[in-house]
Amino acid sequence: SQSYKLVVAGGGTAGLSVSNCFSRILGKGNVALIEPKNVNFRYFSIIMFQTRFALQVHYYQPLWTFVGGGIKDVKESERPIRNFIPPHCEWIQNSVKEFLPDENAVKLSDNSTINYEYLVVAIGIEMDLDRIKGLKEALNTEGVCSNYMVDTVTKTWKCIQNFKEGNAIFTFPNTPIKCAGAPQKIMYLADDYFRKTNKRDKANIIYNSSLGVIFGAPKYAQSLNEIVKKRNITVNYKHNLIEIKPQTKEAIFEKLETGEKVPFKYDMIHVTPPQKPPAVLKPLADSAGFVNVDKETLQHTKYSNIFSLGDCSNLPTSKTAAAVAAESGVLVENLNAFMNKSPMKRKYTGYTSCPLITSYNTCILAEFDYNLQPLETFPIDQGKERTSMYYMTKDAIPFIYWNLLTRCLYYGVD
Ligand code: FAD
């Protein structure tokens, strides 16, 4: 079997950033990145000849809110992953089937094993569509969409455009999810679009959330509560989507406090699917299934040569790419110190950020820590809807992501 000083499992936002950093630190032959093929077929034609070629891509998922809102093309969210894998890093185009932490090894889907001295786990979070009865089939029917998957995100914009009248429902599931703001951002875009196209009078916009508050951090929750009131959006808390019946265009919600099941008619419904940690994490996981790490150092609580970050970790913060930026800075410094038998000095504060898009030209840029206290970058009140923050999120942050974060030239705020 092959052996590396450092193996990074998962080449998403977190894995790309960390493998870029360590390839620079450790040099050629020492770092391997395990990331399965993510094949996307492209057609390329020259006059009469058309060839199909496979392109392996990385997705910048935060852009999917803009894709669902008709502001950006889905192609702008993808780039060839090859461009982000450093030349000094070995790309193993496979997926981890089993973590064997007692043997310092991982088993791949072809049953080969890779040994490591140090391991970073960054395999993200999975969609759990089966938890909602009928959802998979319903996503192929009229009026049902989701920004959370690349295959369904372009349909969101069609649903918003095709909507004529009736109930437009937006959901938040009863599980941990990535980007806790995304379920409502698309709702504000729909509301704005309906107003611009004179359909708002005929629309009931309903936000059915499993949570008991509109947003975790109180400062931004206060602003959002004012916005839903001002925009005449109905909010039902502790309402969890359990079934979709496309034949009758009904969505069944369970009231979490009483167990009562209530049907809602929909003309369009944007579903945020329930999500779950990949089952393969089990040997490294806490009782909820996420990799069990120290919340300040990012080191595994049992296996000291394993670190984790991003959506698959149990860091008790909101799962975002912005959090990954801060986490990767802490992880790289601490793991490097640990490799050199020095004390680990960096402490992660829980920094995370969520650009809450509230219309086609405004955004509340929420930034906060483990205690849900604001940790804002700009010397202005970021709790207010601002046009500057909208353009920052639409144009500047994607630039930072593609050019700096994924290449390990930016560590965010912490
Ligand atoms: P990912 O980037 O998802 O990467 C995980 C990688 O692991 C994937 O490449 C996958 O192929 C690989 N993998 C999976 N299983 C295995 C295996 N067994 N073996 C090897 N590799 C494996 N964040 C923000 O900061 N701001 C936003 O505005 C924002 N909006 C969002 C809107 C939407 C609709 C969505 C879906 C997400 C949004 N996010 C936002 C969240 C952000 O995209 C994620 O938090 C971030 O990408 C997490 O990075 P990660 O590396 O942990 O996981």
Side-chain angles (χ1 to χ4, degrees):
S1 71
Q2 291 163 292
S3 181
Y4 296 90
K5 184 164 174 113
L6 174 69
V7 167
V8 178
T13 310
L16 287 176
S17 174
V18 168
S19 57
N20 268 281
C21 292
F22 274 103
S23 296
R24 249 177 265 152
I25 296 170
L26 300 174
K28 203 172 172 66
N30 289 311
V31 182
L33 173 66
I34 306 173
E35 166 64 37
K37 291 180 190 174
N38 197 347
V39 178
N40 191 330
F41 288 106
R42 284 290 179 75
Y43 293 89
F44 181 69
S45 32
I46 309 170
I47 313 175
M48 286 165 64
F49 300 98
Q50 193 179 58
T51 46
R52 192 170 87 138
F53 67 96
L55 192 69
Q56 283 143 315
V57 295
H58 169 74
Y59 291 106
Y60 174 51
Q61 303 164 44
L63 218 67
W64 292 347
T65 295
F66 292 97
V67 177
I71 301 159
K72 298 231 178 187
D73 191 282
V74 71
K75 287 214 174 67
E76 292 177 69
S77 74
E78 57 177 53
R79 298 253 172 114
I81 191 169
R82 180 52 88 190
N83 298 358
F84 300 92
I85 297 177
H88 288 346
C89 174
E90 182 81 25
W91 177 18
I92 299 170
Q93 294 183 32
N94 213 323
S95 56
V96 176
K97 185 170 141 188
E98 199 178 349
F99 287 99
L100 304 163
D102 293 313
E103 296 159 37
N104 293 326
V106 293
K107 191 188 267 189
L108 304 180
S109 56
D110 62 3
N111 285 326
S112 62
T113 54
I114 306 281
N115 289 85
Y116 57 80
E117 261 179 75
Y118 304 93
L119 173 71
V120 171
V121 185
I123 64 170
I125 192 168
E126 284 174 4
M127 297 299 127
D128 192 0
L129 300 183
D130 293 332
R131 266 175 89 121
I132 296 175
K133 199 172 163 200
L135 174 60
K136 262 191 197 149
E137 304 75 39
L139 280 166
N140 295 317
T141 64
E142 201 196 322
V144 185
C145 57
S146 178
N147 279 358
Y148 272 78
M149 292 159 290
V150 71
D151 315 334
T152 56
V153 62
T154 46
K155 192 177 169 198
T156 303
W157 178 227
K158 288 191 193 120
C159 287
I160 292 174
Q161 284 177 299
N162 292 343
F163 178 87
K164 291 188 186 70
E165 58 184 338
N167 290 346
I169 304 177
F170 297 81
T171 74
F172 191 114
N174 193 20
T175 63
I177 63 165
K178 50 181 148 188
C179 198
Q184 59 187 299
K185 296 185 219 181
I186 189 63
M187 172 173 75
Y188 300 128
L189 289 177
D191 169 81
D192 194 13
Y193 181 79
F194 296 161
R195 282 174 203 276
K196 285 195 175 104
T197 49
N198 296 322
K199 292 192 276 198
R200 187 59 182 92
D201 290 348
K202 291 179 238 141
N204 300 314
I205 299 185
I206 302 168
Y207 185 53
N208 278 357
S209 170
S210 294
L211 304 180
V213 288
I214 193 128
F215 194 71
K219 169 170 178 170
Y220 309 105
Q222 197 184 340
S223 311
L224 294 169
N225 280 328
E226 283 165 24
I227 290 170
V228 287
K229 212 165 151 195
K230 196 170 71 193
R231 306 257 196 104
N232 197 19
I233 293 170
T234 306
V235 181
N236 298 310
Y237 291 122
K238 303 276 180 188
H239 276 56
N240 180 34
L241 178 64
I242 54 168
E243 183 175 358
I244 300 199
K245 296 179 176 171
Q247 301 81 3
T248 50
K249 288 203 154 184
E250 273 178 309
I252 317 295
F253 289 83
E254 180 184 13
K255 286 192 180 177
L256 293 172
E257 275 155 344
T258 59
E260 189 191 340
K261 295 183 175 56
V262 275
F264 282 71
K265 281 267 181 201
Y266 66 81
D267 294 87
M268 78 157 271
I269 181 166
H270 176 272
V271 180
T272 298
Q275 292 159 39
K276 63 177 180 194
V280 69
L281 294 173
K282 194 89 196 280
L284 307 172
D286 65 5
S287 58
F290 294 98
V291 184
N292 203 352
V293 290
D294 181 279
K295 71 175 194 158
E296 290 185 334
T297 64
L298 281 52
Q299 184 177 40
H300 195 269
T301 51
K302 181 171 171 203
Y303 301 101
S304 63
N305 62 339
I306 299 180
F307 286 66
S308 180
L309 76 170
D311 296 351
C312 73
S313 73
N314 75 344
L315 294 166
T317 189
S318 185
K319 297 182 186 301
T320 64
V324 167
E327 290 162 14
S328 68
V330 174
L331 188 148
V332 170
E333 255 188 70
N334 283 347
L335 176 53
N336 195 29
F338 186 71
M339 286 175 176
N340 292 308
K341 306 201 166 31
S342 309
M344 292 188 287
K345 293 201 186 114
R346 286 287 294 277
K347 290 190 165 86
Y348 178 48
T349 58
Y351 172 85
T352 191
S353 164
C354 188
L356 295 151
I357 311 292
T358 53
S359 78
Y360 280 86
N361 61 4
T362 53
C363 170
I364 292 174
L365 185 62
E367 293 183 287
F368 50 96
D369 63 12
Y370 277 141
N371 301 318
L372 306 176
Q373 291 307 306
L375 209 62
E376 299 183 347
T377 304
F378 300 96
I380 47 171
D381 179 3
Q382 292 180 208
K384 291 208 169 85
E385 293 183 86
R386 289 181 189 276
T387 302
S388 55
M389 294 300 128
Y390 175 83
Y391 287 100
M392 168 92 193
T393 304
K394 182 167 99 50
D395 302 319
I397 298 178
F399 178 87
I400 292 172
Y401 184 88
W402 292 120
N403 296 292
L404 305 176
L405 170 58
T406 45
R407 299 182 198 279
C408 184
L409 297 168
Y410 174 73
Y411 284 157
V413 185
D414 77 299

